[in-house]
Amino acid sequence: MKLIKKAINNFLFAFGKCSIVLVRFYMHLVYRPKAHFVDKSVQTNRLKEPCIVIANHTTIVDPPFILSVLRGKTAIVIAKDWFEKPSINWICRAANGVPCDRFNLDTEWALLAKKELKKGRSVVIFPEGKCREDGDLNEFKSGFAFLARSTGYPVVCVGLDGKYTFGHRIHYVVDVPRTIERTKGVPSGVDLENQAAQCRERVKLLKASAISHSTASLPAPGTVYPVVPPTPEANAEQAGDAE
């Protein structure tokens, strides 16, 4: 019985790898990705060195899209409740998924992500934790900042335009790598939240640049932003109740 189960798992893993190749082909065929780079020092989407890639999260298409346009070894942090679904677990494993419990305090994912970085894989994280389709960005959870600060690997911010409609060419903007270090005199938790908030503002501007297809008005890397709290999400159920 164990041999049969192992054989099935191996088959599904191999099938998942093949599916990822087909998904990449589909993404490039349908959405014709167009990359924009903030600086001349970053003119390729090939991740030569391991890093932590963060991006805005508009729809469920974002993860397969960003894995399709990035080149190099990658892993991706996936919500544990999605990772454990039998219907998609096989492709999550094939994509080198790192399960993260988004509803409870979870530190194990960071240990797993650190192992992936040491293997030479860049780790993709969507810090919002869930999709946001109204144009704004949710608050960024600080886990990626903790991972970057504790490991020393740089963070690369990416802005996706997020308009996955037939005939629309998807644009995305890749920022220069940034190192996250401990700020002296600031409590660790507060410092991580501040770093996450700064990255959120940066990704928000990168997304706007992706939508406008231009990085001309983008502030220089390293700019310190006045943090603008995310607007409350529209709650359709409450609106329905009010009616």
Side-chain angles (χ1 to χ4, degrees):
M1 192 67 180
K2 289 183 178 180
L3 291 176
I4 295 176
K5 186 176 180 180
K6 184 178 180 180
I8 293 175
N9 285 335
N10 289 339
F11 170 77
L12 290 176
F13 182 80
F15 182 71
K17 289 293 186 182
C18 294
S19 299
I20 288 174
V21 174
L22 293 176
V23 168
R24 283 178 174 171
F25 176 77
Y26 175 84
M27 290 292 171
H28 282 271
L29 178 67
V30 175
Y31 299 122
R32 298 168 295 133
K34 173 63 177 178
H36 303 266
F37 301 97
V38 171
D39 189 80
K40 291 182 179 179
S41 63
V42 185
Q43 290 293 330
T44 177
N45 53 6
R46 176 169 290 280
L47 303 172
K48 296 180 180 179
E49 300 294 335
C51 62
I52 299 163
V53 180
I54 63 171
N56 55 293
H57 200 4
T58 305
T59 78
I60 59 173
V61 183
D62 293 326
F65 177 83
I66 200 167
L67 289 178
S68 296
V69 298
L70 295 179
R71 291 290 176 263
K73 297 179 180 179
T74 56
I76 183 169
V77 175
I78 302 173
K80 188 176 181 180
D81 48 306
W82 279 82
F83 192 94
E84 292 178 343
K85 291 183 177 181
S87 58
I88 61 172
N89 174 263
W90 53 277
I91 199 166
C92 289
R93 290 188 296 112
N96 301 313
V98 175
C100 177
D101 190 341
R102 54 181 173 171
F103 301 115
N104 299 292
L105 182 62
D106 181 17
T107 57
E108 185 179 359
W109 77 269
L111 297 175
L112 295 174
K114 185 176 180 179
K115 290 180 180 179
E116 295 296 333
L117 289 166
K118 287 185 175 181
K119 291 177 183 178
R121 295 189 179 115
S122 294
V123 177
V124 178
I125 302 176
F126 293 92
E128 294 175 83
K130 56 182 177 180
C131 300
R132 180 83 180 253
E133 298 182 4
D134 65 357
D136 197 9
L137 272 66
N138 292 312
E139 180 181 0
F140 273 22
K141 297 180 180 180
S142 61
F144 77 92
F146 169 78
L147 180 63
R149 197 180 71 179
S150 62
T151 62
Y153 288 96
V155 172
V156 174
C157 297
V158 177
L160 307 173
D161 77 14
K163 297 179 181 179
Y164 301 101
T165 56
F166 184 78
H168 172 72
R169 186 175 193 180
I170 297 293
H171 291 251
Y172 64 100
V173 181
V174 182
D175 205 358
V176 299
R178 64 166 64 196
T179 301
I180 294 182
E181 298 177 345
R182 176 73 179 269
T183 304
K184 294 182 179 179
V186 179
S188 178
V190 175
D191 183 40
L192 290 174
E193 290 179 1
N194 291 341
Q195 298 279 11
Q198 287 295 312
C199 287
R200 176 185 175 274
E201 295 304 313
R202 185 66 177 178
V203 170
K204 189 173 183 179
L205 290 173
L206 293 173
K207 176 186 177 182
S209 294
I211 292 173
S212 66
H213 309 165
S214 173
T215 61
S217 61
L218 192 66
T223 300
V224 178
Y225 303 101
V227 176
V228 180
T231 58
E233 290 183 88
N235 191 318
E237 293 183 359
Q238 289 184 359
D241 293 340
E243 293 176 359

